[in-house]
Amino acid sequence: MATFTGLTYGGQEWTPKFVEAIDPMKCMGCGRCIKVCSQGALGLDTFMDEDDMQRMISIIADKDRCIGCQACGRTCAKRCFTFAPKEI
Ligand code: SF4
Ligand code: SF4
């Protein structure tokens, strides 16, 4: 299966890795990933944890907007993100 690739400005091959999942158990709802996403692909939502405590977490609000830059993952101190290239 082929993988979707692009080119950098300088013409080097680049494989975007798109957001796949955000671990709700690790997320502390700080919102840093939402601020850093230039595409508006992420958002906040409520989550009920195993102790029946409601808290805010980051979610993938619109995956179709993701450009695969992984900036959200780099800014997340809790390493909540999973990414994958797109098969074509
Ligand atoms: S940066 Fe990480 S911990 Fe903070 S809201 Fe985003 S996913 Fe959650
Ligand atoms: S990989 Fe980039 S575009 Fe996709 S959700 Fe993360 S910051 Fe936004």
Side-chain angles (χ1 to χ4, degrees):
M1 188 77 75
T3 299
F4 175 79
T5 58
L7 297 176
T8 66
Y9 183 76
Q12 290 183 319
E13 193 172 283
W14 175 64
T15 303
K17 293 198 175 90
F18 299 94
V19 65
E20 276 285 306
I22 305 171
D23 188 338
M25 303 308 285
K26 290 187 191 168
C27 179
M28 58 185 175
C30 67
R32 289 176 65 179
C33 55
I34 298 167
K35 283 190 195 145
V36 86
C37 179
S38 63
Q39 304 304 309
L42 306 175
L44 277 177
D45 201 358
T46 54
F47 177 73
M48 199 73 77
D49 67 19
E50 67 271 26
D51 299 322
D52 285 341
M53 294 285 289
Q54 185 171 293
R55 56 189 173 82
M56 300 305 286
I57 58 163
S58 179
I59 58 159
I60 303 168
D62 189 352
K63 184 170 176 169
D64 287 354
R65 299 179 72 101
C66 180
I67 59 172
C69 69
Q70 300 175 79
C72 50
R74 281 192 210 99
T75 201
C76 178
K78 302 286 282 183
R79 296 179 164 269
C80 297
F81 283 85
T82 307
F83 299 97
K86 184 174 183 176
E87 292 182 349
I88 52 174

